[in-house]
Amino acid sequence: MSTTGPWYYRTVRSLTAIYWSGIFILTHLPPAGLPPVRVSDRLAHFMVYLLLSVLLWASLWSGRRAVGRLGVTVIGTALLYGALDELTQPLVGRFASLDDWLADAGGVLVGVLVMSIVAGLMHVLRRDRTQQA
């Protein structure tokens, strides 16, 4: 991904910051007056954190960074944030839930798995191109 240029990183990092800020705002609104969600709460948590982990990965990956270390960084960061998010929700009249955090964790793990596969495929494609040249 290092060949995509600085515009890519600025754009992805900006999208990550906006998305993460949106998660914080939405999860810290008082429950009264929130519109009903048409999907299960666990599925919503899973999908939100899957996308967060993909965005975090894309924001941090330079194409040269060790994929395993990056995966651990993304998992640790997202799981810590998910725990803090759950623990601070009672401050606005919401409930902290271990089940919600476990759904967050599932989304994070799937997101990191997907991005690990993408990174591996990109590495193979790059290697094949350089060998053919």
Side-chain angles (χ1 to χ4, degrees):
M1 282 195 181
S2 59
T3 59
T4 56
W7 65 268
Y8 168 82
Y9 295 106
R10 281 194 301 272
T11 302
V12 171
R13 288 177 181 149
S14 296
L15 288 172
T16 304
I18 292 166
Y19 184 75
W20 206 340
S21 298
I23 293 171
F24 178 82
I25 291 167
L26 290 174
T27 60
H28 288 84
L29 291 173
L34 286 177
V37 179
R38 295 181 187 220
V39 298
S40 80
D41 185 49
R42 301 304 175 265
L43 179 60
H45 276 265
F46 180 89
M47 296 305 296
V48 164
Y49 276 80
L50 186 149
L51 183 54
L52 177 63
S53 66
V54 167
L55 288 170
L56 277 173
W57 180 289
S59 293
L60 298 173
W61 188 36
S62 67
R64 294 180 300 271
R65 190 170 187 168
V67 171
R69 189 171 13 162
L70 179 57
V72 169
T73 300
V74 170
I75 290 168
T77 301
L79 292 182
L80 178 62
Y81 176 73
L84 292 172
D85 184 54
E86 287 298 322
L87 292 173
T88 58
Q89 286 182 23
L91 300 174
V92 294
R94 298 177 78 150
F95 297 98
S97 166
L98 178 60
D99 288 341
D100 286 351
W101 184 79
L102 290 173
D104 298 345
V108 168
L109 294 174
V110 170
V112 168
L113 176 64
V114 166
M115 292 305 285
S116 296
I117 292 168
V118 167
L121 291 172
M122 289 181 72
H123 177 72
V124 168
L125 291 173
R126 267 196 209 131
R127 187 185 65 216
D128 289 348
R129 271 193 225 149
T130 57
Q131 288 176 353
Q132 291 175 357

